[in-house]
Amino acid sequence: MNTPIAIIGSGMAGLSAAHALTAAGLCVQLFDKSRGSGGRMSSKRSEVGDLDLGAQYFTARDRHFVDIVQQWQENGWLAEWKPALYQSQGGQLNLSPDTQLRYTGVPRMSALTRNLLGELPATFACRITEVFRGEQHWHLVDAAGQSHGPFSKVIVAVPAPQASVLLSAAPKLAASVASVVMEPVWAVVLAFAKPLDTPVEGCFVQDSPLDWLARNRSKPGRASRPDSWVLHASSAWSRQHIDLPPEAVIEQLRCAFAELIGCAVPEADFSLAHRWLYARPAHAHQWGALADADLGLYVCGDWCLSGRVEGAWLSGQEAARRLLEHREHNS
Ligand code: FAD
Ligand code: NAI
C-alpha cells in the first residue's frame, strides 16, 4: 500500500484535492480542527433549523466546475436557488432580478461537503500545529502534542493566515502565503415566529454595515418556519467591530436590517452571531495552488484564486494536479 498523503483542512479545497488524488489511486488522510467537514461551507444546527452562516450560495463559471456541479446536482447534493433578489443602495431597496444560476447544498449547505467527505479517512477535532519532514517522510503534530504519520506528501488546505504557520519547512512558500491578507465577516441570524411582511429573499447591500442578507426559507429543502434570516456585515464594518461582544453586533446589525428591509421588524425570537476571522481574501490571486514540489509540500484554498467556493474547488484540483504531475516525472 502506498504511504498516504496528509491533507490539512476538509473544506471545499481539501475535499477537492482528496477526490482528485483518490481518483488517481492514491491514499489520503484528512485532518480538521473542527468537529466536521465543510469549513466556511459548514452549517450550524440550531433550534430554528440548520443555518448556513458562511457561504450562502455559489456560482459556476469554469467549464470543469460547471461539469462537476451538474454531477452533484444529479446526485441530489445541491439544487438551484432562485430567490427574489433585491439590492439596497443609499437606503433605496429595489428588485434586482438577473439570470445568474446560483446553487446551494440541500437541505443545508454542509450537505454538499458532507457528501463529498463520504468515506474518506478523516480525523476531526484535530488542530495541526506543526508539519515537519523526517529523512524520508512527513509527520504532523497536533495541538494535543500527538504525532501523525508517516505521509509521503502534505497538502495544506486552510486559510492563508492559518497556513503560513504550518510551512516552516519551506520558508519561501511560507513568505508568499504570509503576504495574503484575509478579511473578517460578522454573520448574524435573526428568526421571527411571525414571518416578516416582505417579498425580499436575498439582497446585495451597499452603504450600510451590512453587505448581504438572505431568507432561509427561500432556499431549497429548508423548513418554512420560523422565518430566519442570515445577515452578513461588510468586511470594513466587521474589521472595525471585530471585538464587539456578540449581543452588540446582533443589535447593530438588526437595526441596519430594520432600516433597509422596508417593513416592521419586531424583536427577534432567536438570534446568534458568528465571527469569521478569515472570511475572504482582501485581493483575488491567480496562483491556482502553491507548492514546493521537490519537498512534497502543497498549499491550496479559495485565496489562491477568487475567494469563492468555485475558487476553492479549482485550487484543490490544481494542487492535486501538480502533485500527480511531479510524481509521474519522478517515477
Ligand atoms: P475553508 O472552508 O476555510 O476550509 C479550511 C478548513 O481547514 C476548515 O474546515 C478549518 O477548520 C480547517 N483548518 C484550519 N486550520 C487548521 C489546522 N491548523 N489544523 C486542522 N484544520 C485546520 N463563497 C461563495 O462562492 N459564495 C458565497 O455566497 C460565499 N459567502 C461567504 C460568506 C461568508 C461569511 C464566508 C466566511 C465565506 C463565503 N464564501 C462564499 C467563501 C467560501 O465559503 C469559501 O471560498 C470556501 O468555502 C473556502 O474553502 P476552503 O477549503 O478554501 O477553506
Ligand atoms: P454573484 O455573481 O451572485 O455575485 C457577485 C457580485 O455581483 C455580488 O457580490 C454583487 O455585488 C453583484 N451582483 C450579482 N448579482 C446581482 C444582482 N442581481 N443585483 C445586484 N448586484 C448583484 O456570485 P459570485 O460571483 O459567485 O460571488 C459569490 C458571492 O459570495 C458574492 O456575493 C460575494 O460577495 C460573496 N462572498 C462573500 C464572502 C464573505 O465573506 N461575506 C466571501 C466570498 C464571497
Side-chain angles (χ1 to χ4, degrees):
M1 205 174 96
N2 47 38
T3 312
I5 295 162
I7 302 181
I8 307 170
S10 66
M12 180 53 89
L15 290 169
S16 166
H19 273 257
L21 295 174
T22 49
L26 302 185
C27 297
V28 301
Q29 172 74 39
L30 287 148
F31 294 89
D32 204 297
K33 66 181 173 65
S34 299
R35 275 175 299 159
S37 58
R40 280 169 280 158
M41 294 177 75
S42 56
S43 309
K44 184 180 174 63
R45 288 179 191 264
S46 81
E47 64 192 72
V48 295
D50 295 328
L51 303 165
D52 305 331
L53 296 177
Q56 297 293 295
Y57 67 86
F58 56 91
T59 58
R61 302 193 173 116
D62 174 271
R63 187 169 49 87
H64 299 103
F65 192 57
V66 168
D67 289 346
I68 197 81
V69 164
Q70 195 178 337
Q71 272 181 38
W72 294 341
Q73 192 169 6
E74 283 164 14
N75 294 349
W77 299 351
L78 53 77
E80 248 183 74
W81 179 40
K82 298 176 184 165
L85 257 188
Y86 284 70
Q87 61 178 329
S88 168
Q89 201 172 6
Q92 292 294 314
L93 186 65
N94 290 303
L95 197 58
S96 187
D98 62 27
T99 54
Q100 178 68 56
L101 292 178
R102 295 181 174 86
Y103 302 93
T104 170
V106 273
R108 62 191 80 87
M109 186 55 100
S110 63
L112 172 58
T113 44
R114 230 23 81 82
N115 279 305
L116 287 174
L117 177 69
E119 302 293 312
L120 289 170
T123 308
F124 291 110
C126 182
R127 179 197 291 270
I128 302 301
T129 52
E130 207 185 330
V131 175
F132 69 91
R133 204 181 146 87
E135 279 196 4
Q136 274 201 318
H137 291 114
W138 289 95
H139 299 267
L140 313 182
V141 180
D142 67 27
Q146 203 186 326
S147 293
H148 305 267
F151 299 106
S152 60
K153 321 236 181 228
V154 177
I155 298 184
V156 178
V158 308
Q162 293 169 318
S164 60
V165 297
L166 300 176
L167 300 171
S168 54
K172 265 195 186 164
L173 201 53
S176 305
V177 175
S179 72
V180 176
V181 175
M182 293 191 72
E183 298 274 19
V185 167
W186 271 109
V188 159
V189 174
L190 301 177
F192 306 94
K194 184 164 177 266
L196 297 187
D197 185 16
T198 170
V200 176
E201 293 179 330
C203 184
F204 297 104
V205 185
Q206 286 174 41
D207 313 319
S208 159
L210 295 171
D211 80 356
W212 166 257
L213 50 97
R215 190 174 213 166
N216 278 326
R217 63 180 189 166
S218 67
K219 292 187 174 181
R222 273 67 165 178
S224 65
R225 273 165 203 277
D227 188 15
S228 60
W229 295 73
V230 172
L231 320 179
H232 283 163
S234 68
S235 289
W237 190 92
S238 302
R239 209 182 321 112
Q240 281 160 15
H241 298 86
I242 195 74
D243 291 322
L244 209 60
E247 311 73 53
V249 171
I250 290 169
E251 189 44 27
Q252 293 204 28
L253 296 187
R254 194 191 77 83
C255 288
F257 176 61
E259 237 170 65
L260 72 82
I261 197 69
C263 68
V265 177
E267 282 303 313
D269 297 294
F270 171 92
S271 60
L272 68 79
H274 180 86
R275 186 178 67 173
W276 297 98
L277 274 181
Y278 307 119
R280 57 165 100 204
H283 309 284
H285 298 90
Q286 291 303 325
W287 291 333
L290 298 171
D292 186 326
D294 291 330
L295 215 50
L297 190 55
Y298 296 78
V299 193
C300 60
D302 65 333
W303 49 272
C304 288
L305 286 165
S306 62
R308 295 155 51 241
V309 170
E310 179 178 47
W313 184 82
L314 288 169
S315 180
Q317 294 288 298
E318 178 62 10
R321 189 194 66 74
R322 289 180 65 172
L323 187 156
L324 291 168
E325 187 182 69
H326 190 264
R327 205 167 168 268
E328 207 156 276
H329 278 163
N330 292 283
S331 63

